[in-house]
Structures are given as C-alpha cells and as structure tokens.
Amino acid sequence: MYQLTARDIRRRNRFCVLQAVYAASGHTSRQQIAQATGLSFATVGNMIAELLEVGVLAELGYEAAGIGRPRAQLAINPERGRLIGVDIAETCIHVDVFDLAMTVLRSTEIPVDPAATTPDDIVESIVHGIGEVVAGDADRVLGVGLSVPGLVEPDTGTSVFSPYWHWQQVPLKVLLAPQLPYPLYLDNPLKASTAAQLWFGAGRDVDDLIVVTLRAGVGIGVVIDGLLYRGVTNSAGEWGHTNLVLDGRACPCGRNGCVEAYVSAPGITATLREIAPGSPLLASDDAATLAAVAAAACRGDSTAVAVIERTGTYLGVAIANLVNLFNPRRIVFGDLVARQLGVPLLEATRRAAAHHAMSDPFAAVTLELDPLPHNPASLGAATFALEGFLADRETFTSVSARRTRRTDAPA
Amino acid sequence: MYQLTARDIRRRNRFCVLQAVYAASGHTSRQQIAQATGLSFATVGNMIAELLEVGVLAELGYEAAGIGRPRAQLAINPERGRLIGVDIAETCIHVDVFDLAMTVLRSTEIPVDPAATTPDDIVESIVHGIGEVVAGDADRVLGVGLSVPGLVEPDTGTSVFSPYWHWQQVPLKVLLAPQLPYPLYLDNPLKASTAAQLWFGAGRDVDDLIVVTLRAGVGIGVVIDGLLYRGVTNSAGEWGHTNLVLDGRACPCGRNGCVEAYVSAPGITATLREIAPGSPLLASDDAATLAAVAAAACRGDSTAVAVIERTGTYLGVAIANLVNLFNPRRIVFGDLVARQLGVPLLEATRRAAAHHAMSDPFAAVTLELDPLPHNPASLGAATFALEGFLADRETFTSVSARRTRRTDAPA
C-alpha cells in the first residue's frame, strides 16, 4: 500500500492551494482559498506564507471585509520565472514561453520535415525553437516540459515507443540536457493535456474527470481524486487502442478495430471515404478534411452530417464504456477533432453514450468540450515544469525548515 | 481535491498493519510488519499497541532474534468477535460466520424460491439464515456484511437496482435493522470479492489489481494504490455492460453486445448453443452446463474445446481493454465461471489478450485464477464488517486518546 509521508501531504496541500489561486483567475484571499480547498485556515496560512517567501505569490494590498480585519489579496507573481512548454507532434513542434501566471508570452512552430525525423533531427528543432522564443528570459526559466507522442517514461525522460517516427527507447532527456540547462520534464500529450485541464481547465472544480484527446492519435487521461492516474508503468489511458469493433478497421498499431481507427483525424477521414468515396470534402491532409467536413455540416451537407453522426456513434460507444468503468464526474473532449467538429460531434456522441452507458453513472457525468483557449499539450507540458518547480525539495524544504523554527502559527 | 486528515491516515495505517498480519497467516513481529508495510517502526509500534489494547491482536510470546532483543510474536485474536458474511445470489443466499482470524466457523445456504423474491421474502430468508448459524455467538457479532447483486448505495444500505428481481430503491438496511441488532454493511458482489482479494487473496502483495467476477452477471473491482476504487457514485467497474460486439447479442440489461452477454454463465451457454444447437452438454441450468463443458473439454471433446476457445477470445479482448485503460499489476479471475473452466479458459484468454493489448502494459500484468478457497462474495461481505469495526471511531479514538496522554513512543 502506498505510504503517505508528511512531505507528500505538504506538497499535495501546496498544489491544492496554488490551484485554488489559479482558479480564482485574478486575486483571492486566504479565507476564499480555505473555503475552496476545504483545508484548515492554519494549513492555508502556512502554505501561503511559504509561497510568498519563495516569491510564487504576491500580496496586492487589502480588501475591506464586511466585518473584521481587512483581507490580504493574493495573486500569482507572474515575474517569478518562466516556464517553457513544447508540444512535439507529427507535423510540427510547437513551443510556448509562459510567465508564472501561465500567460503565453511568445510562441513558435517549427515544421517537422518528414525526411528528417531521427532523434537528433528532432532534438535540433526543439533546441532551435526554444532559442527562438526564450529571448532575454534564458536565465529566468524554471523548467521545460515536453509532450512527446507515444509511450514515455517520465522518470528517465525516455521515449519508449513513438508510433510516428518508429522511435524505440530514445533517451530524449539525455540528448537534450547538454543543450538545455534547465530541469526537463517529459510525458505524452495525453498526460500533458490532462495536467492542463487539472490545473487550469475542466478539472478546476471537479476531482474525478477524464480528458479525451482526439488528434492524429487518441487517448485519455484519467484524474482520480484530483490526481493524474498513471497505472503501474505510466501507460494507463491507452483507450485509443481498446477494441471497438471486433475484426474491424486496421489501426496503425497493427491491430484491428481499435477506437483510434474510428475517432482520430485519420479515422474520420476513413469514415468519410466509406460513406462517400471520392467526396469533394477529402482534402490534402486530415486537418483540412476535418475543416471541410465541419464547414459542410454547418451548411447541412448530408455527407458531412452522416460522417459526424457515425463518428459520434463510434465515440459514444467508446465513451459509454469509460462511463461504466470509471464512473467519473466529467468527460472533456479536446484537441484537433474536438476543435473542428465541436458541438455537432458532442451532441451525436452524447446521444449514443446515453443509449450504451448504464443509466446511473451516465446521470452522474457531464460531457463537455475543452474550455481551454490554448494548445492543451504545450500548456500541460509547461504544467509539468510548474509541478516540478513546486515539488522541488531544496526550494521548499529550506523555507519550511526556516518557518518551523520561526513560528508554527499562520499569519 | 480529497483532503486527508490525520484520522484518515491513522485508519489507513491501521488497515495496512492488520493486512500485513493477515498476510503473515500465523504470527509475525513488529519488525516484519514494518518491513512488509514500509511504515516506520514507530508507527507500526503505535498501531500494534492500539490493536493489542482493543484485543484484535494478541502477543503469543517471544522468538529469539539472531542479535538483539527477542521479538514479540503477534497474531490475530480469533476470539475477539465474530463477523457474518452474506452472499445474496440469484438462486440462493449463502451465510457464513467467521472468527476474527477469518476462519469459517459455520455456514448455511437458503435457496431462493423464484416465486418469492420480494424484499420482505429475501429479508426473511437472510434473518432466518443468520439465526441458523449464529448460535451461541449472537452477542459477539461485530458486524454483518451483505453482498447484494446490482447497484448498491453503501452509505444508506439501499439496493438501488437489482436486475435479478427487478428491485428498485429497496432500503434493505432499514428493513433488516429491526431484526439484526448489529452494524450492517451492504455492497455488491464485485466490491465484496475485491475486498476479499485485497485483504486475503491476490491483493496481499500487489497494490494495483483488477478482480474479475464471472457468475450469472459479470463485473470488475479495481484496486488502485491498495484501495478499492468506487467512482463518484459507487458504480465504477460495470465492465459487464461495456460494449464488446457492436450490435451483438441481446443482454439482460436491454442493450446489445455487452461483455456480460458473452462471458457470464448464461453467455457461455449461449455460445454453446451457437456452436452446437441441441448439444448434449446443455444441462438443466447454466452451472450444470458449465460443469459439463469443463468435463468434456478435459476429454478433448471438440465442441467443449471450441466453446472455451471462443469464450477466451471474447474475454481476452475485454481484458485487453482493461489492461490498456488501467495498466494494472495483476488481474484475477474468480467465481463460478472461473472455478468451472479454470486453466483452459485462462490460457485461451491470455492468448487473445496478448494479441489485443498494448505490449508494454501487457508485459506488466499477470493474469491469474482466484487463489481464495472460499466464496469470495461472502468473505468480502464479512470483510466490509471487519473494515467497519476497524474504522469505528468510538473504539479507536478513545484508545488513541488514552495512548497519546500516556506516551508517544512505541513499545
């Protein structure tokens, strides 16, 4: 059984308090944080003191409360440092620089040349992309998070298997470290998108949710009791390769009938080809095809409507399975497919899921589109860097040691 | 985010220590418990002192260690009290009386008359069954656990929905309480079987496992980090009604193609009918049919072998989906179907799962048959009563308050 130490609990409480500050999006008070988190006022006071001392939070002055002492207004100190998020995707590498309030300061996209996808090629592009946007902030970077497709081992920073480029056991962190003198955090887009939702999106007011990522590949991130669930070897959430249709369509993974073969961007293109071979909606790539389907469905084009309806049926069955297994409070749909097909796909999915899911867990869950305006994989990658900074033993242990010596009471 | 209080942690540690004592099956020492649990020696000492004081543990004397002080030998005190486990199933109600070492002292089975399945009928049978076996132990019963088929609300003790008898919102605990003056704990067989494995079976040395129950209905219990995962409305694990075959066989739940329609006892009978309509293996009920299939497969009967092979393919696909989603360490198969078809079904399942699961999470998991000799639903129901007794605030708070006043150091 997993043993919780005092440090685990302290770190968890620190995350919890800071998540409440981000959720307040602006400023908040100790009282409001205590209310939002359910933590005692004393614990909140201790955590806030620590976060003020390391400069993560700032006091903005006082607001007169109706009765009693005026309340100190707290906010994230955006200037405390910079975080970098990198989303490594099939066709391009997206890099963002964030301030500590998680506002995007600068971004760039480096296209991936399909003929140059060795680990060295990709490392060169990542380093180049970061160099382009980090500008005068190079010495203020607290950490770099990277979202890497496929199976990733976060502890060692290894890309165990990447389906796009047939990578196997690539020690990406080792390759990057000499050129990027920052703490580096690696995981895949499913885990990254889920971290982004947990801190800044659909997970801010819900502790049990599933984040569905629908892009060239598909998969889920599962949040249980406010924590990202990883499984015993960090591969939980491989919903994209659960079986949807026995002996169904070929999937790039080599199996047949996987969920991914039906509800990913290429899967939806395949459905369009089945419904209307040679359709004028078929464009040069899957993203353009999705955009054409979305636009045509708006005009009431029957082929486009049928594609969305059939995709919603597939997605609804696969989502009903998740509802029955996990009994979550919320399921949020994000990334390319959700952005393009949006509400019509969500409606079709909801109808099919309502039929296939058990009524009790279905009544307990809401299905929603991703509320985040930003690329969730790069924001989530930067969130790993934020979590890493907040969990840093040296920074926080020395503060709490000093504080314990000074006083145990909250301010 | 779920907040852990000092009492939560204390209770969790208490469970953890006691699970280690049960796992030692015989006697053990503070040192061995500290090693097995990873808890500090001081924490183990405190927990043991508490458990000795309330009489759950007993000291059996000392064993000379190689070096240093002799080690006190600890064991469960079987005479501390009695626990009752009730497994309410479709055709009969099984009742066991356990001592605190979880040894079965007496058992009975009350057949369920198909014409008398109102809540009052079933309550009468339960009370009658318990009366039959409780004998002179009536005033030593610490609690009664009941495994109730279908959807159960443990907090209120309500059978929300029972597919067998078309019960809806039956307040079973309220109906039982006047006739059973004990603490009562209700949940369904999936949760009960999982609790049994967690304390006494496949979960003793593994923190992340899935317990698959295969009887007239099927479903799973998921253990994450050593705790039973319930979902937000206690209906997590409804794997039996996840979709396996799009537009497939009719399921008693009213949907089509559910896992249950293929791998439950009636599902396997249906497969036999498909492969060999009018087969002599078809018996008067599903249990007898399964026994006939098992015996025939042993003789190499081709129909029986085909039934097991096809069932294993269905089960393997459905298990591969769980491996991809949950990435557990162990999956254990129990109850009627697993008992009857055992190793041949397990082998066929493993072959299909190896093909359909992702290779990384499949390499991390073992598939096994239930190691428990006893009815897991009734043992698990009694385990709920054990957990309830161990979590009892009055018993344990008063002890820890006294102990804190006396001393903080372990013995």
Side-chain angles (χ1 to χ4, degrees):
Chain A
M1 193 182 284
Y2 176 63
Q3 300 310 324
L4 286 162
T5 65
R7 192 185 311 126
D8 292 332
I9 294 167
R10 205 172 170 84
R11 187 176 53 207
R12 191 166 176 174
N13 289 343
R14 186 185 304 137
F15 280 30
C16 194
V17 163
L18 205 59
Q19 282 168 3
V21 179
Y22 279 112
S25 47
H27 46 71
T28 184
S29 68
R30 288 172 179 77
Q31 289 80 353
Q32 286 166 319
I33 294 169
Q35 211 159 21
T37 58
L39 290 169
S40 74
F41 193 75
T43 300
V44 170
N46 272 321
M47 295 294 127
I48 297 285
E50 207 179 64
L51 291 163
L52 285 169
E53 186 154 346
V54 298
V56 168
L57 293 183
E59 272 182 341
L60 298 183
Y62 290 83
E63 187 188 58
I67 298 172
R69 286 198 301 170
R71 295 171 173 185
Q73 292 297 296
L74 299 157
I76 304 289
N77 171 14
E79 297 309 312
R80 175 60 177 83
R82 300 290 180 251
L83 298 164
I84 294 177
V86 182
D87 174 23
I88 303 169
E90 195 179 10
T91 54
C92 83
I93 296 168
H94 183 100
V95 186
D96 290 309
V97 180
F98 298 86
D99 66 20
L100 205 63
M102 299 313 265
T103 304
V104 181
L105 301 181
R106 289 174 298 279
S107 301
T108 188
E109 292 210 333
I110 313 284
V112 172
D113 175 356
T117 61
T118 67
D120 285 341
D121 294 328
I122 300 298
V123 163
E124 196 187 315
S125 294
I126 294 167
V127 173
H128 175 73
I130 292 176
E132 210 176 279
V133 288
V134 75
D137 282 333
D139 54 351
R140 306 172 66 194
V141 174
L142 301 173
V144 176
L146 299 108
S147 162
V148 182
L151 202 59
V152 174
E153 210 177 78
D155 291 342
T156 58
T158 304
S159 166
V160 176
F161 171 65
S162 169
Y164 291 167
W165 306 316
H166 307 288
W167 286 6
Q168 300 247 22
Q169 301 291 344
V170 173
L172 209 48
K173 190 169 170 178
V174 172
L175 297 174
L176 286 163
Q179 301 181 69
L180 293 174
Y182 311 115
L184 301 178
Y185 306 89
L186 278 76
D187 213 323
N188 73 17
L190 308 179
K191 304 287 196 290
S193 301
T194 306
Q197 295 296 341
L198 187 53
W199 278 80
F200 311 108
R204 296 199 306 186
D205 56 341
V206 161
D207 285 344
D208 297 272
L209 82 153
I210 293 179
V211 178
V212 181
T213 293
L214 302 168
R215 45 163 69 181
V218 308
I220 59 171
V222 179
V223 174
I224 295 176
D225 265 350
L227 294 175
L228 175 57
Y229 174 65
R230 294 181 175 276
V232 298
T233 55
N234 196 41
S235 73
E238 282 293 352
W239 169 76
H241 301 288
T242 60
N243 189 273
L244 180 65
V245 181
L246 273 181
D247 305 316
R249 281 185 198 163
C251 179
C253 77
R255 297 175 191 83
N256 285 80
C258 297
V259 168
E260 182 163 305
Y262 296 85
V263 304
S264 64
I268 297 169
T269 301
T271 298
L272 171 58
R273 278 186 216 282
E274 277 180 11
I275 289 177
S279 162
L281 299 173
L282 289 162
S284 57
D285 62 37
D286 295 322
T289 299
L290 283 183
V293 168
C298 275
R299 306 189 297 268
D301 176 274
S302 63
T303 301
V305 169
V307 167
I308 292 175
E309 194 60 34
R310 194 175 298 175
T311 302
T313 302
Y314 290 133
L315 187 54
V317 172
I319 290 298
N321 289 348
L322 296 179
V323 170
N324 288 351
L325 287 172
F326 288 98
N327 186 201
R329 185 63 73 196
R330 182 176 289 168
I331 298 181
V332 59
F333 298 86
D335 224 303
L336 180 64
V337 171
R339 266 201 308 274
Q340 289 289 358
L341 303 184
V343 173
L345 178 61
L346 184 67
E347 291 304 325
T349 301
R350 193 179 278 134
R351 281 194 298 276
H355 174 71
H356 283 91
M358 304 278 284
S359 55
D360 179 81
F362 190 73
V365 73
T366 58
L367 311 187
E368 297 170 24
L369 293 173
D370 177 6
L372 287 170
H374 195 73
N375 177 332
S378 113
L379 175 60
T383 305
F384 291 137
L386 173 67
E387 289 182 342
F389 168 66
L390 291 173
D392 183 60
R393 217 170 136 175
E394 265 180 56
T395 310
F396 284 89
T397 309
S398 59
V399 172
S400 37
R402 273 201 307 281
R403 282 194 48 76
T404 308
R405 278 200 305 275
R406 247 177 16 215
T407 170
D408 257 329
Chain B
M1 193 183 283
Y2 176 61
Q3 300 309 323
L4 286 163
T5 64
R7 192 186 312 125
D8 292 331
I9 294 167
R10 205 172 171 86
R11 187 175 54 205
R12 191 166 177 173
N13 289 343
R14 186 185 304 137
F15 280 30
C16 194
V17 163
L18 206 59
Q19 282 168 2
V21 179
Y22 280 112
S25 46
H27 46 73
T28 184
S29 68
R30 289 172 178 77
Q31 288 82 351
Q32 286 165 320
I33 293 168
Q35 212 160 21
T37 59
L39 290 169
S40 75
F41 193 75
T43 300
V44 170
N46 271 323
M47 295 295 126
I48 296 286
E50 208 180 64
L51 290 163
L52 284 168
E53 186 153 346
V54 299
V56 168
L57 293 183
E59 273 182 338
L60 298 184
Y62 289 83
E63 187 188 57
I67 298 173
R69 285 197 303 172
R71 296 172 172 185
Q73 292 297 296
L74 298 157
I76 303 290
N77 170 15
E79 296 310 313
R80 174 62 177 83
R82 300 289 178 252
L83 299 164
I84 294 177
V86 182
D87 174 22
I88 304 167
E90 194 178 11
T91 54
C92 82
I93 296 168
H94 182 99
V95 185
D96 291 309
V97 179
F98 298 86
D99 65 21
L100 205 63
M102 299 312 266
T103 303
V104 181
L105 301 180
R106 289 173 299 279
S107 302
T108 188
E109 292 210 333
I110 313 283
V112 172
D113 176 354
T117 62
T118 67
D120 286 341
D121 294 327
I122 300 298
V123 163
E124 195 187 316
S125 293
I126 294 168
V127 172
H128 176 75
I130 291 176
E132 210 176 279
V133 289
V134 75
D137 282 332
D139 54 353
R140 306 174 66 196
V141 174
L142 302 174
V144 176
L146 301 108
S147 164
V148 183
L151 202 59
V152 175
E153 209 176 80
D155 292 342
T156 58
T158 304
S159 166
V160 177
F161 171 65
S162 169
Y164 291 166
W165 306 315
H166 307 286
W167 286 7
Q168 301 247 20
Q169 299 292 344
V170 174
L172 209 48
K173 189 170 169 177
V174 172
L175 298 174
L176 285 163
Q179 301 182 68
L180 294 174
Y182 312 115
L184 301 177
Y185 306 89
L186 279 76
D187 212 325
N188 74 17
L190 307 180
K191 304 287 196 291
S193 301
T194 306
Q197 296 295 342
L198 187 53
W199 278 82
F200 311 108
R204 296 199 307 185
D205 57 341
V206 161
D207 286 343
D208 297 273
L209 83 153
I210 293 178
V211 178
V212 182
T213 294
L214 302 169
R215 46 165 68 182
V218 308
I220 59 170
V222 179
V223 175
I224 295 176
D225 265 350
L227 294 175
L228 176 56
Y229 174 65
R230 293 180 176 277
V232 298
T233 56
N234 196 41
S235 72
E238 282 293 353
W239 168 76
H241 301 287
T242 60
N243 188 274
L244 180 65
V245 180
L246 273 180
D247 305 316
R249 280 183 198 163
C251 179
C253 76
R255 296 175 192 84
N256 285 82
C258 296
V259 168
E260 183 163 304
Y262 296 85
V263 304
S264 64
I268 296 170
T269 301
T271 298
L272 171 58
R273 278 186 216 282
E274 278 180 9
I275 289 177
S279 162
L281 299 173
L282 288 161
S284 58
D285 63 35
D286 295 323
T289 300
L290 283 184
V293 168
C298 275
R299 305 190 297 267
D301 176 274
S302 63
T303 301
V305 169
V307 167
I308 293 175
E309 193 61 31
R310 194 175 298 175
T311 303
T313 302
Y314 289 132
L315 187 53
V317 172
I319 290 297
N321 289 348
L322 296 179
V323 170
N324 288 351
L325 287 172
F326 287 98
N327 186 201
R329 185 64 75 197
R330 183 176 288 168
I331 298 181
V332 59
F333 298 85
D335 225 305
L336 179 65
V337 171
R339 268 202 306 275
Q340 289 288 0
L341 303 184
V343 173
L345 178 61
L346 184 67
E347 291 304 326
T349 301
R350 193 179 278 134
R351 281 194 298 277
H355 174 69
H356 283 91
M358 305 278 283
S359 56
D360 180 81
F362 190 73
V365 73
T366 58
L367 310 187
E368 297 170 25
L369 293 173
D370 177 7
L372 287 169
H374 194 73
N375 177 333
S378 114
L379 175 60
T383 306
F384 291 137
L386 172 67
E387 289 183 343
F389 168 67
L390 291 174
D392 183 61
R393 214 170 139 175
E394 265 179 55
T395 310
F396 284 89
T397 308
S398 60
V399 172
S400 37
R402 273 201 308 281
R403 283 194 45 77
T404 307
R405 279 201 304 276
R406 252 182 5 222
T407 169
D408 258 328

